Amino acid sequence: MKVLMLSSSREGQYGYLETARSTILNHLAGIDELLFVPFAGVTLGWDEYVEKVQAALPEIKVTGIHQTSNAKQAVESAQAIAVGGGNTFNLLTELYKQDMLELIRAKVTQGLPYIGWSAGSNICGYSIRTTNDMPIIEPPSFNALQLVPFQINPHYTDYQPPGHNGETRAQRLAEFMVLNPVMPIVAIREGSALLRVDNQLTLVGPHSGILFLGGEQQDIASGQDLSHLL
């Protein structure tokens, strides 16, 4: 398995996929065509989404899965697959609607390189129950690709705006832990990613992450081996 789970498409004031480019291209070494799944796009049209990714990765030919004549055959014959960010609920709903979830899981498990960012990383986890997104549509199930046997929380931040009285991200994830005490959550900050290569899992990028498990939080250092979570 070769699975790259990016927290986000942007970091700070950098351009779209700019800080992730080298990591993505390294992950796609020897590959010149990428099948892109734009289903998380809601206000962003899917054709426009493909163009945006193509502009960010001019070295790779990017084709939207919706632009193919047979989506399932496109997955079968793909050199690599990428799933972009947006709304995780819309993404998962469309994957269920098109009966694509099991096929993508099977192909990635067999070695098809996968790249996700934001919502595209959310669906790599056991379920999407730790996404930050608003449930604008109801998928048949919250169960996702399960390319890793834990929950993922992209875009993690410790920041609490002055005067804001809503729950912090950590408090929301603590609620999940109360109801799911044995299910790990790996929270990754923007600019960082989880990289799975076969049975090895590592946090990559310049920032630390956090492991939420059993009511406790544990810092994860950049470069730390997390293979015990697989």
Side-chain angles (χ1 to χ4, degrees):
M1 295 178 67
K2 290 186 63 177
V3 184
L4 178 62
M5 297 159 275
L6 298 155
S7 176
S8 59
S9 59
R10 297 179 186 270
E11 181 185 7
Q13 300 302 311
Y14 289 95
Y16 189 73
L17 294 179
E18 184 176 353
T19 59
R21 268 182 49 81
S22 61
T23 304
I24 291 173
L25 293 176
N26 182 65
H27 194 70
L28 296 176
I31 291 172
D32 56 14
E33 294 186 10
L34 182 64
L35 182 65
F36 179 63
V37 178
F39 299 157
V42 180
T43 56
L44 178 64
W46 292 351
D47 286 342
E48 184 183 355
Y49 204 164
V50 174
E51 293 171 2
K52 189 174 184 178
V53 176
Q54 180 67 86
L57 302 172
E59 302 87 347
I60 309 291
K61 180 184 178 182
V62 180
T63 301
I65 193 171
H66 67 291
Q67 297 170 329
T68 65
S69 58
N70 186 318
K72 289 187 176 181
Q73 183 56 50
V75 174
E76 290 281 3
S77 60
Q79 294 185 29
I81 188 168
V83 182
N87 186 275
T88 309
F89 292 93
N90 197 64
L91 168 60
L92 190 59
T93 298
E94 194 66 30
L95 289 173
Y96 271 111
K97 180 180 177 181
Q98 297 197 28
D99 191 27
M100 300 292 293
L101 210 63
E102 294 297 332
L103 175 59
I104 293 174
R105 178 188 296 125
K107 292 296 294 183
V108 175
T109 300
Q110 293 163 13
L112 178 69
Y114 178 103
I115 300 170
W117 53 89
S118 190
S121 294
N122 260 320
I123 63 167
C124 291
Y126 192 83
S127 78
I128 65 166
R129 290 177 295 156
T130 49
T131 178
N132 307 314
D133 296 332
M134 185 173 289
I136 59 174
I137 191 170
E138 183 177 4
S141 169
F142 291 153
N143 290 342
L145 285 174
Q146 300 178 1
L147 301 178
V148 291
F150 53 80
Q151 297 289 130
I152 301 174
N153 181 246
H155 297 283
Y156 182 80
T157 178
D158 303 300
Y159 179 68
Q160 176 76 344
H164 178 69
N165 296 309
E167 290 83 356
T168 64
R169 189 70 52 78
Q171 288 172 327
R172 288 297 193 195
L173 296 178
E175 293 175 339
F176 181 91
M177 285 193 292
V178 169
L179 300 180
N180 305 272
V182 299
M183 174 61 74
I185 312 164
V186 178
I188 48 178
R189 293 182 168 89
E190 294 184 351
S192 295
L194 293 170
L195 175 63
R196 177 172 187 175
V197 179
D198 297 328
N199 290 318
Q200 183 173 1
L201 180 72
T202 312
L203 178 68
V204 298
H207 307 298
S208 62
I210 300 180
L211 172 64
F212 292 83
L213 178 61
E216 298 182 354
Q217 301 179 32
Q218 176 184 331
D219 287 337
I220 303 169
S222 175
Q224 184 169 334
D225 186 350
L226 300 172
S227 304
H228 65 282
L229 295 176
L230 297 177

